[in-house]
Amino acid sequence: MERFDENDIQYQKAKRYVEKLRGFYAHLFVYIAVNVMIVFYNYSHLKPGESYFQFKNFFTLTFWGIGLLAHAATVFLSKNGYLQNWEEKKIRELMEKEKKDL
């Protein structure tokens, strides 16, 4: 098995991406688990003849889902290049500023 240099820039980028990915999957798992419990609770507490399809039963699912989509966008679109290019540009900018301040 090939050993990677932990100081290598590519290794560090890959490691950061894997950490972001792991964070997203943990968020997704919690989202699913909590919402399954909420659906079960709401369904078991319906009054006779009451429909499950009411906004109050989908409130958490909807708004937390929007947050989950935003999280997914930051993880998967950052791999696309825009955010990665922005990060690299910002890093160079901060490094140049620090050189000037010395």
Side-chain angles (χ1 to χ4, degrees):
M1 186 160 125
E2 184 180 349
R3 188 84 177 124
F4 295 100
D5 180 12
E6 293 186 9
N7 295 320
D8 183 39
I9 293 173
Q10 292 297 87
Y11 175 83
Q12 291 297 324
K13 284 182 180 181
K15 184 177 177 181
R16 265 196 332 259
Y17 183 71
V18 167
E19 289 168 356
K20 288 179 183 181
L21 199 55
R22 184 181 58 213
F24 171 73
Y25 286 138
H27 187 181
L28 179 63
F29 175 78
V30 171
Y31 172 81
I32 291 169
V34 168
N35 280 291
V36 164
M37 288 187 288
I38 290 171
V39 166
F40 177 76
Y41 176 83
N42 288 341
Y43 188 77
S44 65
H45 286 82
L46 285 177
K47 295 174 185 154
E50 184 180 18
S51 173
Y52 183 80
F53 297 100
Q54 302 172 45
F55 180 71
K56 67 179 183 175
N57 292 333
F58 295 97
F59 186 80
T60 304
L61 183 87
T62 301
F63 290 102
W64 189 356
I66 291 169
L68 185 65
L69 286 174
H71 191 174
T74 62
V75 172
F76 296 108
L77 294 180
S78 68
K79 194 71 175 165
N80 187 345
Y82 172 75
L83 290 176
Q84 186 175 0
N85 291 338
W86 178 85
E87 284 177 356
E88 290 174 5
K89 181 180 174 186
K90 198 63 170 173
I91 288 169
R92 281 193 299 267
E93 185 180 302
L94 292 171
M95 289 173 64
E96 289 174 13
K97 182 180 179 196
E98 190 159 319
K99 282 182 187 177
K100 289 178 185 177
D101 290 344
L102 291 178

